[in-house]
Amino acid sequence: MNIRRVVQADLPVFFEQQIDPEGNRMSAVGPRQRGDFDAHWTKILADPSIAIRTIEQDGRVAGYVGCFHRDGRLEVMYWLGRAFWGQGIASGALSTFLAEETRRPILARIAKRNPASIRVVEKCGFKRTGEDIFTNRAGESVEEYLYEL
Ligand SMILES: CC(C)(COP(=O)(O)OP(=O)(O)OC[C@H]1O[C@@H](n2cnc3c(N)ncnc32)[C@H](O)[C@@H]1OP(=O)(O)O)[C@@H](O)C(=O)NCCC(=O)NCCS
């Protein structure tokens, strides 16, 4: 596994990965449709305060890892295509990213229904600081844990 700068050719792969129903069930955020996805990634790649990296596994685009500001606080984000789950790739990628991205504190917000992602942040040293409820793109209220490193 390695992480590298995002290139335009990665975006169609990210698009397919983020519409995966099982990934959306876990993360509870809901997929972006094409126009929304394109606008979102154009903003991400143009924003110097956002650090974002493509995760590669054996030369294939496995997903992305990065961080962005929400309400003035830095927060991690990551997503892997289903073919890459269960191999330690997210934990390795987040840990590698956090060695590059040294700004702290850095938060994680994870749906309670997403034990794999909870495990990923805990393996990377994040501590649980609280709980919250967010409204996802489908208008559903989702319980989440708050973590901080
Ligand atoms: C969540 C996600 C990033 C995990 O990626 P991954 O590469 O499979 O994660 P890793 O293999 O590094 O680690 C997963 C850990 O969770 C554990 N795990 C997986 N499913 C689990 C479950 N149902 N219950 C408890 N632990 C579970 C694994 O055993 C592993 O822990 P271990 O190393 O101690 O054995 C990936 O499934 C994904 O991208 N999902 C869709 C999007 C998403 O949820 N993004 C995160 C939003 S906060």
Side-chain angles (χ1 to χ4, degrees):
M1 182 281 308
N2 63 290
I3 63 173
R4 58 156 174 81
R5 290 179 74 87
V6 176
V7 296
Q8 287 292 330
D10 300 334
L11 300 185
V13 183
F14 295 165
F15 178 77
E16 292 302 326
Q17 292 173 341
Q18 65 87 44
I19 55 173
D20 175 56
E22 180 58 15
N24 281 290
R25 192 196 58 74
M26 290 169 77
S27 66
V29 294
R32 286 191 157 86
Q33 299 311 313
R34 178 66 74 179
D36 187 23
F37 175 89
D38 289 346
H40 177 67
W41 277 91
T42 298
K43 258 197 328 206
I44 287 180
L45 296 178
D47 184 339
S49 78
I50 296 179
I52 185 83
R53 295 285 177 269
T54 293
I55 305 167
E56 273 188 345
Q57 176 73 5
D58 300 328
R60 295 166 69 203
V61 175
Y64 66 80
V65 59
C67 66
F68 67 106
H69 279 99
R70 192 203 301 263
D71 302 328
R73 308 197 69 189
L74 207 57
E75 188 176 317
V76 288
M77 56 180 167
Y78 44 85
W79 195 293
L80 264 69
R82 205 194 297 191
F84 300 94
W85 294 359
Q87 304 164 53
I89 297 173
S91 309
L94 182 59
S95 161
T96 303
F97 175 75
L98 290 167
E100 263 183 29
E101 172 53 77
T102 54
R103 289 176 289 176
R104 302 289 187 274
I106 188 161
L107 313 188
R109 303 173 74 102
I110 303 171
K112 291 184 183 180
R113 66 167 82 160
N114 196 347
S117 188
I118 289 170
R119 185 81 189 108
V120 167
V121 292
E122 289 184 343
K123 282 196 286 181
C124 290
F126 284 76
K127 301 290 178 226
R128 192 178 291 175
T129 56
E131 303 185 5
D132 203 354
I133 295 178
F134 72 97
T135 305
N136 70 11
R137 285 187 203 105
E140 180 191 9
S141 290
V142 180
E143 292 188 13
E144 63 180 356
Y145 291 123
L146 309 179
Y147 280 87
E148 188 170 317
L149 180 69

